[in-house]
Amino acid sequence: MSTNSNIAQDDTAVAQEVRELILKKYPAKVARKRAKQIIVNQIEDNDQAPEIMANTRTIPGILTMRGCAYAGCKGVVLGPTRDILQITHGPIGCGFYSWLTRRNQTRPKTADGTNFMPYAMSTDMQEEEIIFGGEKKLKKAIEEAISLFHPKAIGIFSTCPVGLIGDDVHAVAREMEEKYPEVNIFGFSCEGYKGVSQSAGHHIANNKVFSKVVGQIEQHVEGEYRFNILGEYNIGGDAFEIERIIERCGMTLHSTFSGNSEYEEFASAHTVDLNVVMCHRSINYMADMMEKRYGIPWFKISFIGAEATAKSLRKIAAYFGAPELMEKVEKVIAEEIYHVEAVRQEVKARCEGKTAMLFVGGSRAHHYQDLFTEIGMKTVSAGYEFAHRDDYEGRKVIPNIVVDADTRNIEELTVEADPTRYRPRKTAGELQQLEQREHMGFNEYLGMMAEMKSGDLIIDDLNHHEAEVLMEKYKPDIFCAGIKEKYVIQKGGVPLKQLHSYDYSGPYAGFRGAINFYREIDRMVNSNVFRFIKAPWQKNPELSGSYAWNR
Amino acid sequence: MLLRHTPETLTDRSALTVNPAKTCQPVGAMYAALGIHNCLPHSHGSQGCCAYHRSALTRHYKDPVMATTSSFTEGASVFGGQANLVEAINNIFAIYGPDIVAVHTTCLSEVIGDDLGQIINKALADGKIPKGKRVIHTNTPSFKGSHVTGFANMTQSMVQYLSEHTGKGTGQINIIPGFVEPSDMAEIKRNLSMMGIKGVLFPDTSEVVNGPLDGRFHMYPKGGATVSQITSAGDSAFTVSLGRTASLSAAKLLDTKCGVPFTNLDLPIGISAMDAFVDCLRKTAGVSVPDSIMVERGQVVDVMTDMHQYFYGKKAALVGDPDQLVSLVQFLTDMDMKILYVVTGTPAGEKFEERIRSFTGDDTVIKYGAGADMFYFHQLVKSGKPDLIFGNTYAKYIARDEDIPLIRIGFPIYDRVGHQYFPVVGYRGAMRLMEKILNAVMDRQDRDAPEESFELVM
C-alpha cells in the first residue's frame, strides 16, 4: 500500500471520529439530518464524489452562518453595481444592514460619475403601511428618488413583510416605468423567507437582471476578444486586479457581473463572444440563460490563486484561438508569475505543512484552497454556507437533484433562443474540438469535492457546535469564515480569515492578489500576538522564593 | 466625493429614507438580551435578520455575538412560526444549554401575528423547556420605533417575566443603564461601588461583548445580570433609569408590577448629567459622595476650564440616538460650544425636542423620526458648516466629503476600537469625551495653521 493511501486512510479515520463526535450531541431528528450534510470525502478514480445533502432548510434554533434571500439578491448580486438606484421596500433594518457592509469597491469612470453605492435607500415602512399596504409609499419613494438622483435604472427589493401584506412591487415598477419611460424600473421578490439561504436571492436577482436589463442596449464598446466575467463582486478591489491583467493581455472585459459595474455594461452584455464564470453558485443561471437566448458559450474559471489565474487566462485565450493573443497571454503570465514566485517561495518556507479550514459562501471555500496549496498549506475540512449539490459534486449531478418545496418557490425562467439576436459564437464542431484539445469544460463545473483529498471532512451549512468540535479535534492553524465566526474562533487562540470581507484588506484575486494573500496568511499563521494569551505566571505557576516584607 | 449626489438644497421627502439615522428594533433587543448572564438571544423570523444583527453587533464590538433564529421558510410564513419556535427551543436547550432564552420577534413574525406567549406556553407544556430554565420574549416590530425601542422593549420584558416582589429586604437599588456600551455599564457599577451602594444593573453587557482573550471560547461569558439579580430587582428600594427612550418603560413597569419607585434621569454623559446622577444616588441611598469621586469630578472641571478656549464657540452637529444626544448636547453647551443640528431617526417625541431646546435655545435645528435621516443631516451640514460632527461610523462619509472632524459616538462604530473598553459616562467618561474633542479640534488647528502661527504649546 502506498504512503498516500495510508495517509488517506488515517485521515478518513480521523474524519469519521470527528463526524461521530459532532452528531453525538444532537437530538435524534437533528442528527439524522446533519448526518447527510457531514460527509467524509472519498474520491474514486473517475472523480466521483460521495453524495452530500445541501441547499436544504436550516434547522430552527441552530447557530447558523446563513443569511437570507434579500441578502443574496440585494447584498450580493446587485449590491456591487453603482448606477442602478436600489430601494429597499420594507421596514428600515434590511436597508440599513446592507449599507456598504460588503466592501464592494467601485470606481466610476469620471470623478463625477454616478455612484449610488454609499447611499442606503428605503421606504422605511411603518405600521400604517403594514396595515393599509405600502404600494403608495413605494411609488412616492420612486418619484422622490427620480427627482433627486435622476437614475437610469431603479431596482426595488422586497423584504419579508412585503410578500405577506401583498404589495405587488412588479406592478408598481410597471406603473412607474410608464410614468417615467426614461428609467428602467424593476422589482425583486426577494423576501427573506424565500428559499433556504442567500442562494434563493441569487437566483431571483439573476432572473430579473436577465429579463429586464440584459439585451436592452445594442451598442457596445469596441475591442478585441470581448467577454464577460460572471460572479465576481469586487470585494476589496479584486475586480480592479482582474481588469488590470485582462487589459495587459489585450483582451476586452465587456462587463463584470457585478463588481465595479454599470447598468449599460449589463444592458449590452449579450453582445460579447464568451462568458466566464467565477462564482458558479451565484450566477450560473445567468450563464445558462445567456447561452440559450443569445448563443454565448460559457465555462468556469477562477482568478483566485496564481496558478488558477494563469490557467484561466490560457483557457480564455485558447477559446479565442488567436496565436498572437496566446503569445501575449504567455508573456504576461511569465512576467507576473516572476513576481509572485519570489514571494510564494519566501512565504511557503514559513507556512509549509500548516492546516486550514474553509467554511464560507458558495464558491470561496473551494477557490481559496488553491491559494493555500500554493504556499504549502493543507485544507483538512471545508464546506459551503449556501451552495447546492452541484457545487460540491459537480454539475453532472444536477439532473439527480430532487427539487423540494423551497426551491420550487423560486421562479425558473423558460428561456428560448432570441429570434433575431441568437448567434452561435462557435460551430458545434469548433466547440467539440476546443473541448477535446483544450479541455475547456463548457457548461461544466467539477465541484469542490473532486478537488479535495479522500479523508477530508466536508460539512454543508456548518454551525457553531460543529465548528467547536472541528477546532478541538483538528486544531487548524487558520480558519476561514465570516464576521460572525471571526471572534468565536479567535477567542480560542486561532486566527480567522474572513473570506467575505477579507478583513478589510485585499485584493486577493489575480497575481498581485495572490501576493497579498500569501503575505496576509503568513502574517496570521506566524503571528507574534497569539503567544501573549498566557501570562508568564500562568505558564510557570509555581512560587519560588518570596519578597515578603520583613515584619 | 463619496456622497456626490447629495444636494445642498432641501427638498420635500415624505416616502424615501436615504441613509437612515436609526435601524430596526430586533438588534436592540438582541443586544439587551446579551446583558443577561447565561442567556441565548433568539430571533423569531427569517434567519437573515439574525445574521444581520449578529454581524452588526460583531462589527461594533469585535467580540462573539451568539444568537439563534427560528429560520422561517415560506411555509412557516404562511402557516405561522409555532412549529419552528418550539423546535428551536428544544434544540437550543439540548445543544447550547443556556439558563435562559430571550426571544424577540421580527417584522415577519409580527405581520404573521405569532403569539409568542402562547407558543412559549406550548413549549413548556410539551416539555421542551427543562426544569429551572426560562424562556422570555418581547415584541419588536421593525416597523415601529427603532433599535432603541427594541432595547427598551427587551429590558421591559426582563421585568415583566423575571422581576418579583416578595417583600424581602435587599438593601439594593436598581440601575437601568440604557442602550450604552459595556464600558459604560462597568463605569456605572464602579461609581456605585465607590459610593458604597449595592446595586443591580440590568441589562449588563460588560464582560459579555468586551471579554478577554484567554485561549478559550466561552459561549456564556462571565458578565451579564443573572436571572436571580433581575428577579430581585422587584425587591429593590429604588430604581434609577437612565435615558427616557431606552430605560423609562422598564422602570415604570417595575413600579407598577413590584411597587419599586423610580427616578428617570438623563444618561450620565457629561458633567451636569453625571452630577444629577450622583446627587440622586447620594440622596436615595443616604450616602455621602466619597473623595475619590470628588477628585474625578474636579479633574473634569480642571480640564474644562484649562482648555476652555478650544471649546468656546465651536459649532457642533450631532446625529445619533435620543438619550445620548440629550446628554451630549447638555455637555457641549456646558463647555460653551454651539449646537447647530441635532438629528435622530428614532421617533423620540416632543419631550426630546423640548429637552434639547432647554440647553440650546431656538436656533438649533432639531429633527427626529420620519424624514430625519443622514441624507438630511448632510444637507444641513452643507448649508452651514459645523466645526465638529458627532455620530456613528456612517457619518465618516459626510466628514470626509465636507472635511470636518468626526467624533465617533453611538451605534454602530465599525471602524475604531475604544468604545468597548473606555466609557463616555461618568466623570471619567466626560474626561474621555473632552480628550476626543480636544484632539480633533487641535489636530485640525495644527493641520491648518499657517507656518508662522504653528503652535508648540497649546
Side-chain angles (χ1 to χ4, degrees):
Chain A
M1 198 177 278
S2 74
T3 326
N4 269 347
S5 59
N6 276 335
I7 291 170
Q9 267 187 356
D10 291 349
D11 289 350
T12 302
V14 171
Q16 270 160 356
E17 186 201 327
V18 172
R19 183 174 179 273
E20 293 308 314
L21 203 62
I22 286 171
L23 296 174
K24 210 167 73 183
K25 190 162 185 182
Y26 287 135
K29 191 179 158 193
V30 176
R32 270 199 304 278
K33 182 162 192 192
R34 292 303 298 159
K36 295 178 207 157
Q37 290 175 278
I38 305 175
I39 301 295
V40 179
N41 200 26
Q42 210 61 52
I43 295 302
E44 310 296 337
D45 291 341
N46 57 356
D47 279 354
Q48 183 66 47
E51 181 174 335
I52 187 167
M53 188 162 87
N55 191 35
T56 57
R57 293 180 184 179
T58 313
I59 300 161
I62 291 289
L63 259 156
T64 175
M65 307 204 291
R66 283 177 168 179
C68 65
Y70 168 87
C73 180
K74 199 263 183 189
V76 174
V77 179
L78 271 298
T81 186
R82 62 179 165 261
D83 61 352
I84 297 178
L85 188 141
Q86 310 192 2
I87 300 176
T88 297
H89 185 39
I92 199 65
C94 308
F96 180 87
Y97 303 112
S98 55
W99 180 14
L100 286 165
T101 43
R102 282 189 52 82
R103 291 194 74 234
N104 307 112
Q105 298 187 1
T106 202
R107 200 182 275 156
K109 287 170 181 145
T110 58
D112 57 355
T114 306
N115 179 14
F116 298 132
M117 280 168 59
Y119 294 92
M121 303 195 199
S122 168
T123 53
D124 187 12
M125 241 183 201
Q126 298 296 302
E127 191 164 28
E128 197 191 318
E129 284 96 42
I130 297 288
I131 297 168
F132 300 108
E135 291 184 11
K136 210 172 106 192
K137 192 174 193 184
L138 176 60
K139 286 178 206 168
K140 186 98 201 314
I142 292 169
E143 299 203 295
E144 288 172 359
I146 291 173
S147 94
L148 264 173
F149 298 104
H150 319 291
K152 289 177 189 141
I154 295 179
I156 306 156
F157 299 84
S158 306
T159 63
C160 291
V162 169
L164 287 184
I165 64 172
D167 274 6
D168 187 342
V169 297
H170 310 289
V172 169
R174 280 193 298 275
E175 188 186 326
M176 297 313 286
E177 210 174 45
E178 272 167 33
K179 196 165 172 189
Y180 300 95
E182 71 283 7
V183 191
N184 185 354
I185 304 173
F186 37 91
F188 297 89
S189 290
C190 55
E191 288 88 348
Y193 55 75
K194 293 270 174 78
V196 300
S197 70
Q198 291 95 311
S199 178
H202 304 149
H203 195 166
I204 293 163
N206 277 235
N207 286 350
K208 194 59 80 169
V209 171
F210 178 75
S211 55
K212 274 291 282 180
V213 182
V214 174
Q216 294 296 310
I217 298 176
E218 290 306 325
Q219 291 154 332
H220 57 77
V221 186
E222 290 301 318
E224 282 189 303
Y225 319 119
R226 298 172 60 254
F227 66 102
N228 301 319
I229 297 179
L230 310 185
E232 201 305 308
Y233 301 110
N234 202 20
I235 310 285
D238 278 352
F240 301 146
E241 167 65 0
I242 295 169
E243 288 167 16
R244 180 188 73 84
I245 296 168
I246 289 167
E247 199 182 321
R248 277 204 73 192
C249 293
M251 298 188 284
T252 308
L253 177 55
H254 178 84
S255 58
T256 300
F257 286 64
S258 51
N260 194 32
S261 62
E262 288 189 352
Y263 171 76
E264 287 181 358
E265 295 165 355
F266 291 171
S268 56
H270 63 296
T271 61
V272 301
D273 295 320
L274 170 70
N275 280 324
V276 294
V277 173
M278 273 280 279
C279 174
H280 173 262
R281 179 67 269 134
S282 61
I283 206 125
N284 71 89
Y285 321 94
M286 179 67 76
D288 260 350
M289 291 188 289
M290 282 175 76
E291 178 160 31
K292 283 183 188 142
R293 180 167 294 174
Y294 301 107
I296 306 168
W298 71 269
F299 52 77
K300 174 88 180 65
I301 50 98
S302 166
F303 287 114
I304 302 299
E307 279 286 317
T309 301
K311 192 176 156 201
S312 299
L313 290 172
R314 287 187 179 116
K315 265 174 81 170
I316 298 168
Y319 170 83
F320 289 111
E324 68 275 11
L325 173 64
M326 291 193 270
E327 203 175 299
K328 184 78 181 286
V329 162
E330 288 305 328
K331 190 166 164 268
V332 170
I333 291 172
E335 283 171 17
E336 299 275 347
I337 286 284
Y338 173 79
H339 298 287
V340 172
E341 201 53 22
V343 180
R344 192 179 76 84
Q345 292 297 346
E346 181 205 322
V347 169
K348 191 177 178 187
R350 288 188 292 269
C351 295
E352 182 96 61
K354 292 189 190 285
T355 54
M357 289 184 175
L358 302 88
F359 292 95
V360 63
S363 287
R364 290 177 190 268
H366 179 190
H367 290 165
Y368 278 78
Q369 292 185 29
D370 289 346
L371 276 165
F372 282 115
T373 305
E374 287 173 3
I375 50 173
M377 288 178 63
K378 285 186 298 201
T379 301
V380 289
S381 185
Y384 297 121
E385 188 181 338
F386 48 72
H388 301 193
R389 275 184 63 196
D390 37 321
D391 305 293
Y392 286 102
E393 303 168 53
R395 280 178 72 90
K396 60 181 179 292
V397 304
I398 289 178
N400 308 327
I401 295 177
V402 181
V403 178
D404 60 12
D406 299 308
T407 303
R408 242 193 310 276
N409 288 336
I410 314 302
E411 190 188 9
E412 188 74 48
L413 297 184
T414 312
V415 178
E416 283 166 7
D418 188 286
T420 55
R421 296 183 290 178
Y422 181 85
R423 179 169 59 83
R425 274 37 178 199
K426 304 258 181 199
T427 63
E430 282 171 334
L431 289 176
Q432 205 181 2
Q433 208 180 15
L434 273 169
E435 192 65 86
Q436 277 164 4
R437 212 178 49 218
E438 309 285 348
H439 309 291
M440 305 298 286
F442 288 110
N443 309 58
E444 184 50 279
Y445 174 40
L446 296 176
M448 176 169 81
M449 287 163 92
E451 293 188 8
M452 290 183 70
K453 302 184 300 296
S454 290
D456 288 348
L457 191 57
I458 315 296
I459 305 183
D460 180 58
D461 184 20
L462 180 89
N463 63 52
H464 170 72
H465 156 64
E466 294 162 5
E468 276 207 293
V469 176
L470 290 181
M471 292 298 294
E472 192 192 318
K473 289 290 156 192
Y474 280 105
K475 297 185 173 38
D477 294 291
I478 195 164
F479 197 101
C480 300
I483 183 68
K484 301 190 293 301
E485 295 71 48
K486 180 164 177 93
Y487 304 104
V488 173
I489 299 297
Q490 293 199 166
K491 287 282 190 219
V494 172
L496 184 142
K497 183 70 203 162
Q498 290 187 63
L499 287 187
H500 290 288
S501 75
Y502 295 175
D503 293 313
Y504 331 109
S505 129
Y508 295 147
F511 298 112
R512 290 180 185 172
I515 292 174
N516 289 341
F517 194 79
Y518 303 156
R519 292 220 181 277
E520 176 69 354
I521 297 306
D522 182 26
R523 174 187 75 75
M524 294 178 87
V525 301
N526 295 309
S527 84
N528 210 17
V529 291
F530 282 101
R531 74 183 166 88
F532 291 97
I533 292 171
K534 291 280 171 259
W537 50 91
Q538 289 173 306
K539 289 178 201 158
N540 190 13
E542 73 274 16
L543 299 170
S544 56
S546 76
Y547 277 94
W549 298 101
N550 290 323
R551 290 168 203 259
Chain B
M1 302 285 264
L2 288 156
L3 299 165
R4 60 185 64 170
H5 305 292
T6 306
E8 185 183 323
T9 320
L10 292 170
T11 43
D12 276 344
R13 262 187 307 130
S14 62
L16 183 72
T17 292
V18 186
N19 295 357
K22 64 168 179 185
T23 180
C24 65
Q25 285 208 41
V27 75
M30 184 182 284
Y31 176 56
L34 290 167
I36 307 175
H37 183 64
N38 274 355
C39 176
L40 194 58
H42 181 83
S43 166
H44 186 53
S46 299
Q47 68 207 2
C49 309
C50 189
Y52 272 147
H53 303 143
R54 289 182 64 205
S55 298
L57 290 167
T58 306
R59 290 180 181 118
H60 180 77
Y61 289 113
K62 317 238 178 283
D63 238 26
V65 171
M66 309 309 278
T68 46
T69 163
S70 293
S71 290
F72 276 37
T73 55
E74 194 145 0
S77 307
V78 174
F79 301 114
Q82 173 168 301
N84 286 51
L85 184 52
V86 172
E87 189 184 349
I89 289 171
N90 185 53
N91 287 336
I92 288 166
F93 284 115
I95 301 166
Y96 306 113
D99 285 347
I100 175 168
V101 176
V103 185
H104 60 263
T105 57
T106 57
C107 41
L108 178 57
S109 52
E110 285 290 333
V111 171
I112 295 168
D114 277 351
D115 179 347
L116 278 263
Q118 173 263 317
I119 298 176
I120 292 168
N121 282 335
K122 174 153 184 16
L124 194 63
D126 291 355
K128 306 289 188 195
I129 305 174
K131 204 168 173 307
K133 307 274 183 172
R134 303 292 298 260
V135 178
I136 67 172
H137 93 277
T138 201
N139 291 88
T140 48
S142 317
F143 41 82
K144 276 197 231 172
S146 75
H147 55 296
V148 189
T149 325
F151 184 94
N153 288 349
M154 181 53 87
T155 309
Q156 191 188 8
S157 288
M158 291 175 197
V159 173
Q160 179 74 53
Y161 269 94
L162 303 176
S163 300
E164 281 169 28
H165 180 69
T166 64
K168 208 167 54 189
T170 55
Q172 69 187 18
I173 64 161
N174 301 322
I175 307 284
I176 304 178
F179 197 150
V180 294
E181 301 297 355
S183 52
D184 295 321
M185 296 183 188
E187 179 64 7
I188 292 168
K189 288 193 289 187
R190 190 180 70 92
N191 274 278
L192 288 182
S193 95
M194 279 196 292
M195 293 178 79
I197 296 170
K198 189 178 165 205
V200 167
L201 180 132
F202 72 93
D204 180 4
T205 59
S206 61
E207 293 187 54
V208 179
V209 288
N210 63 351
L213 199 164
D214 60 7
R216 264 196 66 209
F217 167 73
H218 304 272
M219 181 92 183
Y220 305 104
K222 223 176 99 194
T226 61
V227 170
S228 65
Q229 280 176 321
I230 302 172
T231 305
S232 77
D235 283 326
S236 293
F238 200 78
T239 300
V240 183
S241 56
L242 302 171
R244 266 184 59 80
T245 358
S247 301
L248 182 59
S249 57
K252 274 187 176 165
L253 185 62
L254 258 175
D255 190 352
T256 51
K257 185 185 172 193
C258 303
V260 183
F262 73 94
T263 297
N264 188 76
L265 299 175
D266 292 334
L267 282 177
I269 296 172
I271 188 158
S272 296
M274 183 59 183
D275 281 352
F277 182 48
V278 172
D279 205 34
C280 172
L281 290 175
R282 171 185 75 88
K283 286 179 188 156
T284 50
V287 296
S288 53
V289 179
D291 284 350
S292 54
I293 289 186
M294 286 307 291
V295 170
E296 288 181 14
R297 184 181 186 281
Q299 288 170 332
V300 171
V301 181
D302 195 50
V303 174
M304 281 174 80
T305 52
D306 289 350
M307 308 307 276
H308 183 249
Q309 71 192 84
Y310 300 98
F311 297 121
Y312 179 80
K314 288 286 183 304
K315 298 185 293 276
L318 299 86
V319 58
D321 299 336
D323 295 343
Q324 274 82 356
L325 290 172
V326 165
S327 303
L328 260 180
V329 163
Q330 184 176 22
F331 186 37
L332 302 186
T333 52
D334 283 345
M335 295 188 295
D336 291 322
M337 287 171 66
K338 198 170 170 319
I339 310 297
L340 298 187
Y341 321 116
V342 180
V343 171
T344 178
T346 298
E350 278 169 27
K351 286 196 173 149
F352 164 77
E353 179 163 350
E354 281 164 26
R355 186 88 181 125
I356 301 264
R357 289 235 181 272
S358 73
F359 308 126
T360 64
D362 291 338
D363 292 344
T364 303
V365 178
I366 302 169
K367 189 156 180 164
Y368 57 87
D373 52 27
M374 285 176 68
F375 184 79
Y376 170 76
F377 178 76
H378 188 184
Q379 290 182 304
L380 292 176
V381 165
K382 278 178 181 287
S383 69
K385 284 202 177 183
D387 299 302
L388 285 172
I389 293 173
F390 293 77
N392 66 28
T393 286
Y394 283 104
K396 84 179 195 180
Y397 288 77
I398 299 171
R400 179 177 150 127
D401 276 3
E402 306 303 331
D403 192 25
I404 298 166
L406 168 67
I407 308 287
R408 283 171 179 76
I409 184 161
F411 176 82
I413 297 173
Y414 288 155
D415 62 337
R416 294 291 187 276
V417 289
H419 51 281
Q420 306 93 329
Y421 308 107
F422 307 112
V424 292
V425 303
Y427 298 117
R428 279 281 178 259
M431 191 68 98
R432 175 164 177 257
L433 272 174
M434 285 192 294
E435 189 196 10
K436 274 171 168 274
I437 294 167
L438 287 168
N439 284 345
V441 168
M442 295 160 100
D443 281 349
R444 187 54 59 120
Q445 183 178 326
D446 281 345
R447 191 194 80 174
D448 295 344
E451 289 189 358
E452 63 275 19
S453 53
F454 186 65
E455 300 291 345
L456 174 72
V457 184
M458 292 169 85

